[in-house]
Amino acid sequence: MSTLPIEVIEMLGQTMMRVVPITIGLALFFTVLTHFWACNPGKPWWQKRELVTDICYWFFVPVFARVLRIGLLVIGAAAVFNVHSADELISFYENGHGPLSQLPLWLQSIIFLVASDFMLYWLHRMFHGGGFWKYHAIHHSSEDLEWISAARFHPVNLLIGTISVDVILLMAGISPNIMLWVGPFTTFHSAFVHANLNWTLGPFRYVIATPVFHRWHHTALEEGGDTNFAGTFPLWDILFGTFRMPEGKLPEDYGVDAEQGVPAEIGGQLAYPFRQ
């Protein structure tokens, strides 16, 4: 009898055991911060509209991303490197491979962060145009932008974006062990830039993405919704002319135009792009 169902259940359980304490910690952390430094004062995050939708994404996305990432790494190793058996796959990916795997883990982590952010910058711009927008509109549909909004992504957006970039860099030879460092950082920073905070970090606004920097990206197009595409390093926006941080002004309104008709519940949002 196949042990696959049991292994899948175990993987789901392991993922949830990591997500739950992280969620509780982030909730407490940002509750305290927004009490003192809210960008848009009003209701606390737990009273936001579509909270149930965001909670569903928050727990669904890590599971979906992990399963698909592993599947693509297996397929990629077989197609590109002719690696097929379970033992060969473990040996191939366990500590990376090729020249990149010989670098110190801290340097591999930096390379991963910079390279992935550069690729995601251009993919992000791609998702703001043509037939790709209908998938990315789901992420922009949150009108009450909060830390828990960070996970609201359509699976197609995740697949073409973060998941594919991760797979490409890991297949290039970077060790999966960097995720022990990079994973916590990206989880926290993603929640941080979506948090309802008025932080610009002064001169560091040009070094790392801040809540105000990213909240401008979630405003209407004429306000700033077609700027600030970088996820981590604003350098890309500065270099390519898409940086926006008006002095002495904070973003206020978020979401997509009502005529786009993005549903409020997760089921409708998952189906939305295929109905357009």
Coordinates of all heavy atoms in Angstrom, one line a residue, residues 8 20 29 40 81 85 92 104 109 148 154-155 163 171 202 206-207 214 216 220-221 243 247 250-251 266 271:
V8 N 1.7 12.9 2.9 CA 1.1 14.2 2.6 C 0.5 14.8 3.9 O 0.6 16.0 4.2 CB 0.1 14.1 1.5 CG1 -0.8 15.4 1.4 CG2 0.7 13.7 0.2
V20 N 1.2 28.1 12.7 CA 0.3 28.6 13.8 C 1.1 29.5 14.8 O 0.7 30.6 15.1 CB -0.3 27.4 14.5 CG1 -1.0 27.9 15.8 CG2 -1.4 26.8 13.6
F29 N 2.7 41.0 17.7 CA 3.8 42.0 17.4 C 3.2 43.2 16.7 O 3.4 44.4 17.1 CB 4.8 41.3 16.5 CG 6.0 42.2 16.2 CD1 6.9 42.6 17.1 CD2 6.1 42.7 14.9 CE1 8.0 43.4 16.8 CE2 7.2 43.6 14.5 CZ 8.1 43.9 15.5
N40 N -3.0 54.3 8.9 CA -4.4 54.6 8.7 C -5.2 54.2 10.0 O -5.6 53.1 10.1 CB -4.9 53.9 7.5 CG -4.0 54.1 6.3 OD1 -3.5 53.2 5.7 ND2 -3.9 55.4 5.8
F81 N 18.6 17.4 -15.2 CA 19.8 16.7 -14.7 C 19.8 15.2 -14.7 O 20.7 14.5 -14.2 CB 20.1 17.2 -13.2 CG 20.4 18.7 -13.1 CD1 19.4 19.5 -12.7 CD2 21.6 19.2 -13.5 CE1 19.6 20.9 -12.6 CE2 21.8 20.6 -13.5 CZ 20.8 21.4 -13.0
S85 N 15.7 8.8 -8.9 CA 15.4 8.1 -7.7 C 15.3 9.0 -6.4 O 15.9 10.1 -6.4 CB 16.4 7.0 -7.4 OG 17.6 7.5 -7.0
F92 N 21.1 15.1 -4.4 CA 21.3 16.2 -5.3 C 21.0 17.6 -4.7 O 21.7 18.6 -4.9 CB 20.4 16.0 -6.6 CG 20.5 17.0 -7.6 CD1 21.7 17.1 -8.4 CD2 19.5 18.0 -7.9 CE1 21.8 18.1 -9.4 CE2 19.6 18.9 -8.8 CZ 20.8 19.0 -9.6
P104 N 29.9 30.1 1.2 CA 29.4 30.1 2.6 C 27.8 30.3 2.5 O 27.3 31.0 1.6 CB 30.1 31.3 3.2 CG 31.3 31.5 2.4 CD 31.0 31.1 1.0
S109 N 22.8 33.0 0.8 CA 21.6 33.7 1.2 C 21.4 35.0 0.6 O 20.4 35.4 0.1 CB 21.5 33.8 2.7 OG 21.5 32.5 3.4
I148 N -1.8 40.6 7.7 CA -2.3 39.3 7.3 C -2.7 39.3 5.8 O -3.0 38.3 5.2 CB -3.5 38.9 8.2 CG1 -3.7 37.4 8.1 CG2 -4.7 39.7 7.8 CD1 -4.6 36.9 9.2
H154 N -3.3 34.7 -5.7 CA -3.9 33.6 -6.5 C -2.8 32.5 -6.7 O -1.6 32.9 -6.9 CB -4.4 34.1 -7.8 CG -5.3 33.2 -8.5 ND1 -4.8 32.2 -9.3 CD2 -6.7 33.0 -8.5 CE1 -5.8 31.5 -9.8 NE2 -6.9 31.9 -9.3
P155 N -3.2 31.2 -6.7 CA -2.2 30.2 -7.0 C -1.4 30.4 -8.3 O -0.2 30.1 -8.3 CB -3.0 28.9 -7.1 CG -4.2 29.2 -6.2 CD -4.5 30.7 -6.4
I163 N 7.2 30.9 -6.4 CA 7.5 29.5 -6.5 C 8.5 29.2 -7.6 O 9.5 28.5 -7.4 CB 6.3 28.6 -6.6 CG1 5.4 28.8 -5.4 CG2 6.6 27.1 -6.8 CD1 4.0 28.1 -5.5
M171 N 17.6 25.0 -8.3 CA 18.1 24.1 -9.3 C 19.5 24.7 -9.8 O 20.3 23.9 -10.3 CB 17.1 24.1 -10.5 CG 15.9 23.2 -10.2 SD 14.8 23.0 -11.7 CE 16.0 22.2 -12.8
G202 N 13.2 56.5 7.4 CA 14.2 57.6 7.0 C 15.0 57.3 5.8 O 14.5 56.8 4.8
Y206 N 15.6 53.8 1.1 CA 16.2 53.5 -0.2 C 16.9 52.1 -0.2 O 17.4 51.7 -1.2 CB 17.2 54.6 -0.6 CG 16.5 55.9 -0.6 CD1 16.9 56.9 0.3 CD2 15.6 56.3 -1.6 CE1 16.4 58.2 0.3 CE2 15.0 57.5 -1.6 CZ 15.4 58.5 -0.7 OH 14.8 59.7 -0.7
V207 N 17.0 51.5 1.0 CA 17.8 50.3 1.2 C 16.9 49.1 1.3 O 17.1 48.0 0.6 CB 18.6 50.4 2.5 CG1 19.4 49.0 2.7 CG2 19.6 51.5 2.4
H214 N 5.4 50.2 0.4 CA 4.6 49.2 -0.2 C 3.1 49.5 -0.2 O 2.4 49.2 -1.1 CB 4.8 47.8 0.4 CG 4.2 46.7 -0.3 ND1 4.7 46.3 -1.6 CD2 3.1 45.9 -0.1 CE1 3.9 45.3 -2.0 NE2 2.9 45.0 -1.2
W216 N 1.9 52.4 -0.8 CA 1.7 53.2 -2.0 C 1.4 52.3 -3.2 O 0.6 52.7 -4.1 CB 2.9 54.1 -2.3 CG 2.9 55.4 -1.5 CD1 3.8 55.8 -0.6 CD2 2.0 56.5 -1.6 NE1 3.5 57.0 0.0 CE2 2.4 57.4 -0.6 CE3 0.8 56.7 -2.3 CZ2 1.7 58.6 -0.4 CZ3 0.1 57.9 -2.1 CH2 0.6 58.8 -1.2
A220 N -4.6 53.3 -5.7 CA -5.1 53.4 -7.1 C -3.9 53.7 -8.1 O -2.9 54.3 -7.6 CB -6.2 54.4 -7.3
L221 N -4.1 53.4 -9.3 CA -3.0 53.6 -10.3 C -2.6 55.1 -10.3 O -1.3 55.4 -10.4 CB -3.5 53.2 -11.7 CG -3.6 51.7 -12.0 CD1 -4.1 51.5 -13.4 CD2 -2.3 51.0 -11.8
F243 N 10.1 54.3 -8.5 CA 10.1 54.6 -7.1 C 9.1 55.7 -6.8 O 9.1 56.8 -7.4 CB 11.5 54.9 -6.6 CG 11.6 55.1 -5.2 CD1 11.9 54.1 -4.3 CD2 11.6 56.4 -4.6 CE1 12.0 54.3 -2.9 CE2 11.7 56.6 -3.3 CZ 11.9 55.6 -2.4
E247 N 7.0 63.0 -0.1 CA 7.5 63.6 1.2 C 6.3 64.2 2.0 O 5.5 64.9 1.5 CB 8.5 64.7 1.0 CG 9.3 65.1 2.3 CD 10.3 64.0 2.7 OE1 10.8 63.3 1.8 OE2 10.4 63.8 3.9
L250 N 1.0 60.3 3.4 CA 0.8 58.9 3.6 C -0.3 58.4 2.7 O -1.3 59.1 2.5 CB 0.5 58.6 5.1 CG 1.6 58.9 6.1 CD1 1.0 58.7 7.5 CD2 2.8 58.0 5.9
P251 N -0.2 57.1 2.2 CA -1.3 56.5 1.4 C -2.5 56.3 2.3 O -2.4 56.1 3.5 CB -0.7 55.2 1.0 CG 0.4 54.9 2.0 CD 0.9 56.2 2.4
I266 N -12.8 33.6 -0.7 CA -11.7 33.0 -1.3 C -12.1 32.1 -2.5 O -11.4 32.1 -3.5 CB -10.8 32.2 -0.3 CG1 -9.6 31.6 -0.9 CG2 -11.7 31.0 0.4 CD1 -8.6 31.0 0.0
A271 N -11.7 31.5 -8.5 CA -12.3 31.3 -9.8 C -12.3 32.5 -10.6 O -12.4 32.5 -11.9 CB -13.8 30.8 -9.6

